[in-house]
Amino acid sequence: MSGTERTRESAALVTAARSGDPEAQDALVSAFLPLVYNIVGRALNGSVDVDDVVQDTMLRALDALGGLRSPENFRSWLVAIAMNQVRAHWHDRQSAPGAVEEAEDLADPGADFVDLTLVRLQLSGQRQETARATRWLEPDDRGLLSLWWLECAGELTRPEVAAALELSPQHTAVRVQRMKAQLEAARVVVRALDARPRCQELQGALASWDGRPSALWRKRIARHAHGCGHCSGLWTGLMPAEGLLAGLALVAATPALLDSVLSAAGGMALAGSASRLPSSAGSGGSGPGSGHRGGRGRGTSRTEARRRRRIRRRVVGGAVVAACVAGGGLWYFDTEPGTGGTEEATASRTAGAPVVDMPEREPLETSPSASKSPSPSASPAKKAKPSKSPSPTRKSVPTSRPSPRPTRTASSTPRTQAAPTGEVAQVVALVNKERSAAGCGPLQEDPLLNKAALGHSEDMDARDFFDHTNPDGADPGQRITAAGYTWSTYGENIAQGQQTPEAVMEAWMNSPGHRANILNCAFKDIGVGIHKGAGGPWWTQNFGAKQ
């Protein structure tokens, strides 16, 4: 189904819900609750009020459907409501009596959205590191991150993000760049605190730290890492956050939250259609969405409600972990990054689990594998600094693999020309076929991306390596930039040994990481480089969107 068709279906659902169809209202809530839950959960990470804010957002949207001029704009309108509710929550907490005591609840581990993200999306390596780093951002940056994360994942567009922030696209781009700089510093903070053994100078500086993430301590630790000879290497090897977030699934809302919202929405419907009209009589509020408050049955105190939600979240979180283990999808999260170990996922994964195989954090020692598995790399908005440290260990993926490549000498290396353009066109056509089935727009073949992709395929043969980072330390973004393509985001897939476009596409589509790049709706252009020779062919896909 294309994006246009999905928009039409959504608009039809909104129209039916607006006319009072209870089944359409329930379907609308079920379809958009995960989006709202991820925005609010990430923006208010650690707050036990997340479920309340999510429910308020959905009910306010149902209340005000009559005032929505264009049903096709429902998603961006709903996102704007969610962000307004987030801002209102922070304002209420800061201005309410006893705000200091309230802050204690905001860091409740049972309500930690970062933990839910790690468990439910099975994050590891630099993805896990990035998710943990979000705890160190200020509230405003977390709110922006909640939208930008979904933009990277292909769930929101930049115009929708800008509208939700009530900013121009240009100002939004500036805000995003500033937030990304803070996120990068926070990732270094996570690395510094995880390092074993920890830097002794840093350990002394942390003597007065209370153990809670904060902007002040993020700045202090990041400043230390910049100037410390022992910690300065932590800034190298950071994969761009866009690539780490690309294609990630939404964190699923709990069934209890969905039931709660549907129940409250049903109570609104029983109260009569007047409660959903703007400025309705008897609503007890001054604007759309106020009418539902009296029907929610909040007879208990806020403290008691929080206690129950905290217990429920802990039970649900434990159940999710148990389900992952019982289902055969056991992922190992290294508890002491920096010791030289890597976080590797087992070959057996829970069916349908939204996991993406990506290069992980650089270990202290690596041993290159003889076989070459297809490998994805995805998209940044900032080029990683070249590093002379060992290249990241590549995860094995359950796809076809060529035989180990024979040792070659310079005199015995047969060099052939690049593959005929017909095969490049076949790969592009197969990619667009998969994207069409997933609802993404087609990619346009770009000569500059073709140039970058072909150059990397030839280089992997010529210098006998298989990685996204070449022996000189250049990453995909640097190669794409050198080819003359001015990008706002990019991605890369590589493979070796598959003999036909159909075979390599099958291998890529059977690997979550490669599939995520191929089906990333944020990409607009593609380049394909196919180099044939002994031990090959070498295949490179470069994806991009221009600035």
Side-chain angles (χ1 to χ4, degrees):
M1 182 187 299
S2 69
T4 303
E5 290 173 336
R6 286 190 297 178
T7 300
R8 287 201 196 102
E9 286 195 3
S10 174
L13 196 61
V14 171
T15 300
R18 187 163 55 182
S19 69
D21 183 344
E23 291 186 0
Q25 291 178 354
D26 287 354
L28 199 63
V29 169
S30 299
F32 287 93
L33 181 65
L35 179 67
V36 173
Y37 180 62
N38 279 258
I39 292 172
V40 175
R42 199 158 281 116
L44 301 182
N45 180 57
S47 172
V48 294
D49 290 328
V50 166
D51 284 8
D52 277 350
V53 176
V54 170
Q55 180 162 308
D56 282 346
T57 298
M58 298 305 300
L59 296 183
R60 283 179 180 274
L62 291 177
D63 273 353
L65 272 181
L68 177 62
R69 294 188 219 172
S70 175
E72 291 79 10
N73 294 335
F74 176 79
R75 185 176 67 168
S76 58
W77 179 73
L78 178 63
V79 171
I81 293 176
M83 289 306 297
N84 283 333
Q85 291 298 100
V86 167
R87 296 185 195 105
H89 170 83
W90 280 115
H91 180 269
D92 290 348
R93 296 285 69 78
Q94 291 168 358
S95 60
V100 175
E101 289 75 12
E102 292 278 334
E104 297 296 324
D105 281 332
L106 295 178
D108 171 37
D112 195 315
F113 198 81
V114 171
D115 286 343
L116 293 178
T117 300
L118 297 181
V119 171
R120 295 182 187 175
L121 300 189
Q122 309 293 352
L123 302 188
S124 62
Q126 290 200 32
R127 276 199 172 91
Q128 183 188 125
E129 172 187 275
T130 302
R132 292 170 59 203
T134 63
R135 293 190 179 109
W136 293 84
L137 299 180
E138 293 94 331
D140 283 348
D141 278 339
R142 283 209 305 271
L144 174 57
L145 173 77
S146 71
L147 300 175
W148 182 70
W149 183 302
L150 294 175
E151 180 188 352
C152 294
E155 299 289 341
L156 295 178
T157 64
R158 176 54 62 89
E160 288 173 332
V161 172
L165 295 171
E166 300 177 350
L167 300 173
S168 68
Q170 294 78 11
H171 193 182
T172 298
V174 173
R175 285 279 311 278
V176 167
Q177 288 299 327
R178 290 174 181 170
M179 180 274 295
K180 284 163 55 180
Q182 305 301 338
L183 180 61
E184 183 174 277
R187 291 170 64 187
V188 172
V189 169
V190 170
R191 290 185 171 189
L193 295 177
D194 284 347
R196 297 293 184 275
R198 184 180 288 174
C199 170
Q200 290 301 310
E201 183 181 340
L202 175 61
Q203 188 69 22
L206 294 174
S208 60
W209 180 43
D210 63 3
R212 295 185 180 183
S214 69
L216 175 62
W217 280 100
R218 182 196 71 225
K219 295 173 184 177
R220 289 180 178 178
I221 298 171
R223 188 163 54 243
H224 165 84
H226 263 303
C228 173
H230 182 273
C231 300
S232 59
L234 299 174
W235 292 90
T236 64
L238 288 169
M239 290 186 63
E242 292 91 329
L244 298 169
L245 304 181
L248 284 182
L250 296 175
V251 176
T254 63
L257 176 57
L258 176 60
D259 290 345
S260 176
V261 176
L262 292 177
S263 176
M268 282 171 47
L270 291 175
S273 60
S275 67
R276 290 190 297 276
L277 295 176
S279 303
S280 58
S283 68
S286 60
S290 300
H292 67 266
R293 292 184 180 275
R296 292 184 58 188
R298 279 184 172 177
T300 58
S301 68
R302 175 181 287 275
T303 301
E304 177 61 20
R306 281 179 173 156
R307 186 187 67 81
R308 289 204 306 268
R309 285 197 300 273
R310 188 180 299 121
I311 293 172
R312 184 181 74 220
R313 284 189 179 92
R314 285 170 178 159
V315 170
V316 170
V320 171
V321 175
C324 289
V325 176
L330 176 61
W331 278 259
Y332 168 60
F333 295 94
D334 189 359
T335 57
E336 293 188 349
T339 60
T342 59
E343 301 95 345
E344 290 287 340
T346 62
S348 173
R349 291 199 172 104
T350 307
V355 181
V356 183
D357 290 322
M358 300 291 289
E360 300 181 271
R361 179 175 170 182
E362 295 180 339
L364 297 181
E365 297 180 359
T366 59
S367 54
S369 170
S371 61
K372 306 296 193 295
S373 305
S375 177
S377 173
S379 52
K382 183 175 182 181
K383 288 175 282 192
K385 299 177 182 178
S387 171
K388 296 183 179 180
S389 56
S391 59
T393 299
R394 295 186 296 276
K395 287 187 181 180
S396 60
V397 291
T399 56
S400 58
R401 300 171 185 170
S403 302
R405 194 171 163 191
T407 302
R408 303 178 307 162
T409 62
S411 60
S412 65
T413 303
R415 298 303 307 274
T416 62
Q417 295 182 349
T421 56
E423 289 188 334
V424 170
Q426 289 179 51
V427 173
V428 174
L430 290 170
V431 166
N432 283 333
K433 180 180 178 181
E434 297 290 351
R435 288 173 65 86
S436 176
C440 289
L443 297 176
Q444 298 297 319
E445 186 178 344
D446 186 279
L448 299 178
L449 291 180
N450 278 341
K451 176 182 175 183
L454 178 58
H456 190 53
S457 291
E458 292 176 338
D459 193 28
M460 286 191 290
D461 177 22
R463 294 199 277 179
D464 196 14
F465 72 98
F466 184 78
D467 207 330
H468 296 292
T469 302
N470 68 23
D472 298 328
D475 63 23
Q478 291 167 311
R479 293 193 297 271
I480 291 171
T481 299
Y485 185 91
T486 304
W487 49 264
S488 62
T489 184
Y490 69 74
E492 180 177 90
N493 286 346
I494 59 176
Q496 179 188 340
Q498 292 79 6
Q499 297 302 310
T500 65
E502 293 79 9
V504 74
M505 277 297 296
E506 180 181 2
W508 277 329
M509 290 302 293
N510 284 332
S511 166
H514 306 83
R515 181 186 180 92
N517 277 346
I518 291 168
L519 303 184
N520 187 341
C521 296
F523 294 140
K524 306 302 178 185
D525 304 315
I526 186 174
V528 179
I530 310 169
H531 174 73
K532 297 190 174 182
W538 288 261
W539 307 79
T540 301
Q541 286 179 325
N542 281 153
F543 305 91
K546 294 179 180 177
Q547 287 184 343

